[in-house]
């Protein structure tokens, strides 16, 4: 497999079973201050004319998105993420076994082996996060929860061992994720990827110094609780992401997502907060570099 080869193809149908619009949206107006996409999956092919990671990064740069965190979810995608980030100055890596993948590895008797690979990849200079890891009670049934919990706690220890950030996947599992973090002890830099909680959960995050990363979901009309959470969390704990190719922001919901779509979400966040767009961009960029370090360090020649 070459560097730019896709590992998997996104489903072309929406969750309600209808055919998706597979055309990529136009480039938005550039942001006044450069920011980073804190969570993206450029190994996934999407759209009627798929874009490889080089083109994704070029388009992102045109609108003020100067770097991304490329996120793995299993052994294969984590290896790909770490390998590409090692030589790509606009990309850093996050590596992990996704909570929905952990039961599959456990059933095959290979979860410990997979975790050992993640531990090794976490030591690479341009791997700056363990993620995405956490708990998912939406897609995994009760029979897989023990494996999810064991995997989550192992990832927490890997992040602390290597003194890097952790990106949490939390779906329908807010209370259990928080209980685990408080019981085991969260890594110093803990990020709730695609935050989906309410203002009460945002207050808990603020009390513990956990970062909240907002995706295109904050632009969805029904998600008033997310916008309330954004108003509660201190600005120094706010990050932004696309989760591309998923969760495309309004007004292009359902179409392929990409790092270059980040400005739509940032502009919506600035409007919710009633703050200057440039000031919010500068704060998000500062926060992101505080969590992950410099995109210029650790490159392989």
């Amino acid at each position: 497999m070459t560097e730019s080869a896709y590992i998997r193809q996104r489903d072309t149908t929406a969750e309600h079973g209808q055919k998706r619009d597979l055309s990529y949206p136009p480039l938005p107006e550039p942001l006044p201050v450069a920011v980073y996409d804190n969570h993206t999956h450029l190994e996934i092919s999407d759209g009627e004319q798929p874009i490889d990671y080089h083109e994704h990064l070029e388009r992102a740069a045109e609108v003020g998105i100067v770097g991304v965190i490329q996120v793995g979810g299993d052994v294969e995608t984590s290896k790909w993420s770490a390998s590409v980030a090692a030589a790509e100055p606009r990309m850093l890596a996050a590596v992990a076994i996704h909570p929905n993948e952990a039961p599959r590895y456990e059933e095959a008797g290979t979860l410990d082996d997979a975790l050992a690979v993640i531990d090794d990849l976490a030591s690479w200079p341009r791997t700056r996060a363990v993620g995405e890891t956490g708990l998912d009670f939406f897609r995994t049934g009760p029979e897989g929860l023990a494996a999810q919990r064991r995997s989550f706690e192992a990832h927490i220890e890997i992040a602390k061992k290597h003194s890097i950030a952790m990106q949490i996947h939390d779906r329908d599992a807010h209370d259990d994720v928080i209980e685990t973090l408080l019981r085991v002890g969260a890594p110093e830099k803990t990020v709730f990827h695609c935050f989906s909680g309410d203002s009460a959960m945002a207050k808990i995050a603020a009390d513990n110094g956990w970062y909240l990363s907002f995706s295109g979901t904050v632009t969805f009309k029904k998600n008033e609780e997310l916008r309330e959470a954004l108003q509660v969390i201190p600005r120094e704990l706010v990050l932004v992401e696309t989760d591309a190719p998923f969760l495309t922001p309004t007004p292009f919901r359902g179409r392929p997502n990409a790092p270059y779509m980040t400005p739509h979400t940032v502009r919506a966040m600035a409007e919710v907060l009633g703050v200057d767009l440039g000031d919010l961009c500068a704060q998000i960029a500062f926060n992101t570099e505080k969590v992950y370090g410099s995109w210029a360090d650790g490159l392989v020649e």
Side-chain angles (χ1 to χ4, degrees), residues 74-86:
D74 56 20
V75 167
E76 188 177 14
T77 56
S78 292
K79 286 181 176 179
W80 187 90
S81 300
S83 296
V84 175

Side-chain angles (χ1 to χ4, degrees), residues 20-43:
R20 296 170 49 228
D21 181 346
L22 297 180
S23 63
Y24 273 90
L27 269 65
E29 181 182 350
L31 293 172
V33 177
V35 301
Y36 302 90
D37 180 354
N38 159 80
H39 186 109
T40 192
H41 299 278
L42 301 186
E43 82 284 2

Side-chain angles (χ1 to χ4, degrees), residues 162-178:
H162 296 284
S163 299
I164 58 177
M166 180 176 68
Q167 290 196 1
I168 293 177
H169 172 101
D170 164 25
R171 189 164 189 186
D172 292 355
H174 301 327
D175 292 343
D176 291 77
V177 167
I178 291 170

Side-chain angles (χ1 to χ4, degrees), residues 208-269:
N208 287 279
W210 300 333
Y211 292 81
L212 303 186
S213 179
F214 292 86
S215 70
T217 56
V218 78
T219 73
F220 297 174
K221 185 177 180 180
K222 69 175 183 177
N223 286 342
E224 189 58 37
E225 283 191 342
L226 279 184
R227 292 183 282 276
E228 292 173 357
L230 174 60
Q231 293 173 302
V232 165
I233 193 74
R235 306 282 164 76
E236 60 267 25
L237 296 176
V238 172
L239 301 173
V240 70
E241 66 174 84
T242 58
D243 198 22
F246 312 104
L247 306 180
T248 312
T250 303
F252 300 104
R253 186 175 180 182
R255 291 170 68 176
N257 201 6
Y260 75 78
M261 296 294 286
T262 307
H264 290 290
T265 302
V266 179
R267 285 190 166 89
M269 292 166 67

Side-chain angles (χ1 to χ4, degrees), residues 11-243:
D11 192 347
T12 59
T13 57
E15 287 189 0
H16 49 70
Q18 300 300 310
K19 199 75 173 178
R20 296 170 49 228
D21 181 346
L22 297 180
S23 63
Y24 273 90
L27 269 65
E29 181 182 350
L31 293 172
V33 177
V35 301
Y36 302 90
D37 180 354
N38 159 80
H39 186 109
T40 192
H41 299 278
L42 301 186
E43 82 284 2
I44 302 175
S45 172
D46 196 22
E48 58 191 6
Q49 295 181 318
I51 303 170
D52 72 10
Y53 78 87
H54 294 285
E55 179 66 18
H56 274 298
L57 296 173
E58 290 297 328
R59 291 189 183 190
E62 289 186 50
V63 298
I65 310 304
V66 292
V68 305
I69 302 291
Q70 161 62 32
V71 181
D74 56 20
V75 167
E76 188 177 14
T77 56
S78 292
K79 286 181 176 179
W80 187 90
S81 300
S83 296
V84 175
E88 170 52 66
R90 298 164 294 185
M91 182 188 292
L92 297 174
V95 298
I97 305 302
H98 191 284
N100 290 325
E101 297 294 326
R104 300 176 193 177
Y105 283 100
E106 186 78 289
E107 185 176 358
T110 59
L111 180 57
D112 288 327
D113 293 337
L115 290 169
V117 173
I118 299 304
D119 187 13
D120 174 67
L121 294 173
S123 71
W124 291 26
R126 291 181 65 78
T127 297
R128 304 292 177 79
V130 170
E132 58 191 276
T133 183
L135 299 173
D136 188 320
F137 296 168
F138 179 78
R139 293 190 183 278
T140 297
E143 70 283 352
L145 296 186
Q148 278 198 2
R149 294 181 190 281
R150 184 165 85 85
S151 179
F152 184 25
E153 294 189 23
H155 281 85
I156 292 172
E157 294 310 314
I158 291 170
K160 291 194 286 190
K161 173 183 175 181
H162 296 284
S163 299
I164 58 177
M166 180 176 68
Q167 290 196 1
I168 293 177
H169 172 101
D170 164 25
R171 189 164 189 186
D172 292 355
H174 301 327
D175 292 343
D176 291 77
V177 167
I178 291 170
E179 185 278 331
T180 301
L181 293 174
L182 295 177
R183 173 172 50 82
V184 176
E188 180 182 355
K189 298 170 183 176
T190 293
V191 178
F192 278 79
H193 134 67
C194 189
F195 179 70
S196 58
D198 56 14
S199 59
M201 186 173 174
K203 290 176 182 176
I204 294 172
D207 289 344
N208 287 279
W210 300 333
Y211 292 81
L212 303 186
S213 179
F214 292 86
S215 70
T217 56
V218 78
T219 73
F220 297 174
K221 185 177 180 180
K222 69 175 183 177
N223 286 342
E224 189 58 37
E225 283 191 342
L226 279 184
R227 292 183 282 276
E228 292 173 357
L230 174 60
Q231 293 173 302
V232 165
I233 193 74
R235 306 282 164 76
E236 60 267 25
L237 296 176
V238 172
L239 301 173
V240 70
E241 66 174 84
T242 58
D243 198 22

